[in-house]
Amino acid sequence: MKIPSSIWTLLIGIVLTLASFWYGQNHGLLPTAATDEAVLVDGLFNTMMIVSTGIFLLVEGILIYSAFKYRRRAGDNEDGPPVEGNVPLEILWTAIPAIIVIGISVYSFDVYNEIGGFDPHAIHEAPMNQESMKMLGHGSAMAATLNDTAGSTAPNLNQEKSEQAMQDPATAEVRNADQIPQLRNAPGVGIVAPTIGGSPEKAGKPAELQVNVTGLQYAWIFTYPETGITTGEMHVPIGREVQINMTANDVIHAFWVPEFRLKQDAIPGRQSEIRFTPKKAGDYVLICAELCGPYHGAMRAPVVVESEEAFDKWVQEQLVASKETLNQAIAVNPADLSPNEFLAPYTKDMGIQPEILHQVHH
């Protein structure tokens, strides 16, 4: 019994659909989803994989079938039959891709909005002023802008900071990272857009944890403004929304943790942001995703997602370690100076505020 072509078409369509859905959900191409935002991004990626797999199997299947079915037989030297265009078919294979592209575009925008990427009010709140552009060339735009904000009228102080940044970029990085929150509303400094901020239900609400991140060739420096901790690795607790405030000291870098599914540029002289909520404990790697120099591939930093208890323990360990280091420095004080006098040259270069030093010492 000959099976009608319509039945064959139906069976082939069912098989293609099932195969596409299975592979779209089991491709294994993505690393662990470590944040709430990663789940949304994975849903979009899986949808595109389902559609792509179905189209690939359909197109390749038709090509293979046509190549076999209509191949030239031995002894066949005649011309092929003249074929006119099929307008309904051409409309169909134009309309279907258009519908797919529009559907994925709408879905992509919805995911981008859900993770906090769409905030029209944050688009270049203020342009960079001329002074900031000048200081940017010396790698110390943020320090110079802070002086302008505080009403400083000493231009030689800005020059001193610029020269210091060129001589010692690492200390300039710590200083810049510590000043990020003060620069949010500073004249002449805008927020890089688009910014990955809070989700719609958290819009306008402060994040539960702030981490200031500064990129430089070829390292990342993390500062926790609430405790004054400055470290080379980032620790974040599970279940608490984290806001990353970023800048760069020299060239453009990019904050990218593959397991978080989020990526944002860190730009000299400007602040950019990422907000996310960790959901799975583990050790991950922060990678610079912007070509920043010959050692770009080595610009990595550990990121630890841990429980609330483990995070609090780490914070206490960092505070104790800072205090022990401070006490050791005081123990070798050769001139019997006060702690503030003895450590002033070092704390000034590192951008440590006097009140933080006093708090750690006591």
Side-chain angles (χ1 to χ4, degrees), residues 12-276:
I12 293 174
I14 293 175
V15 172
L16 289 178
T17 302
L18 293 177
S20 300
F21 271 96
W22 179 85
Y23 184 75
Q25 301 293 332
N26 299 277
H27 50 75
L29 298 175
L30 297 175
T32 302
T35 63
D36 292 344
E37 292 74 14
V39 177
L40 298 173
V41 176
D42 287 0
L44 172 61
F45 185 85
N46 292 343
T47 299
M48 291 191 293
M49 285 300 300
I50 291 172
V51 175
S52 301
T53 302
I55 294 176
F56 174 80
L57 294 177
L58 177 63
V59 172
E60 294 302 316
I62 292 175
L63 286 175
I64 294 173
Y65 172 78
S66 300
F68 178 80
K69 175 71 174 178
Y70 302 104
R71 70 188 185 279
R72 180 181 178 182
R73 266 72 173 184
D76 183 6
N77 297 320
E78 297 180 0
D79 293 334
V83 179
E84 295 289 340
N86 190 321
V87 175
L89 183 59
E90 292 177 3
I91 293 176
L92 181 64
W93 68 37
T94 302
I96 291 178
I99 294 173
I100 292 174
V101 170
I102 293 174
I104 292 179
S105 299
V106 173
Y107 188 11
S108 301
F109 180 81
D110 181 66
V111 170
Y112 186 61
N113 185 53
E114 286 296 320
I115 66 176
F118 180 69
D119 185 2
H121 301 291
I123 299 178
H124 296 291
E125 291 183 349
M128 293 184 67
N129 58 20
Q130 187 176 4
E131 183 66 21
S132 297
M133 292 298 293
K134 291 179 180 179
M135 300 308 300
L136 178 58
H138 298 287
S140 185
M142 305 194 79
T145 310
L146 182 62
N147 286 336
D148 295 339
T149 305
S152 173
T153 57
N156 50 347
L157 179 60
N158 290 342
Q159 183 179 0
E160 177 185 352
K161 290 188 175 182
S162 299
E163 295 174 354
Q164 184 181 20
M166 290 187 289
Q167 296 171 1
D168 189 359
T171 57
E173 286 312 307
V174 178
R175 178 166 56 252
N176 288 352
D178 184 61
Q179 292 173 355
I180 289 177
Q182 305 174 51
L183 289 163
R184 171 178 291 276
N185 298 317
V189 178
I191 296 178
V192 172
T195 290
I196 302 178
S199 57
E201 61 270 14
K202 297 179 180 178
K205 300 178 182 178
E208 298 177 67
L209 177 65
Q210 300 271 345
V211 183
N212 299 334
V213 179
T214 310
L216 71 159
Q217 295 171 316
Y218 300 90
W220 296 98
I221 294 179
F222 309 95
T223 300
Y224 293 76
E226 296 179 0
T227 58
I229 294 174
T230 298
T231 178
E233 63 181 33
M234 185 170 72
H235 286 243
V236 292
I238 296 175
R240 290 174 62 182
E241 187 183 35
V242 181
Q243 177 172 319
I244 303 297
N245 306 310
M246 288 183 292
T247 188
N249 183 69
D250 33 44
V251 298
I252 297 178
H253 302 281
F255 182 100
W256 179 44
V257 181
E259 291 80 5
F260 292 178
R261 309 291 194 273
L262 299 173
K263 182 166 63 175
Q264 183 65 282
D265 285 346
I267 302 176
R270 288 188 179 271
Q271 175 182 319
S272 53
E273 300 173 359
I274 286 183
R275 291 176 70 165
F276 58 86

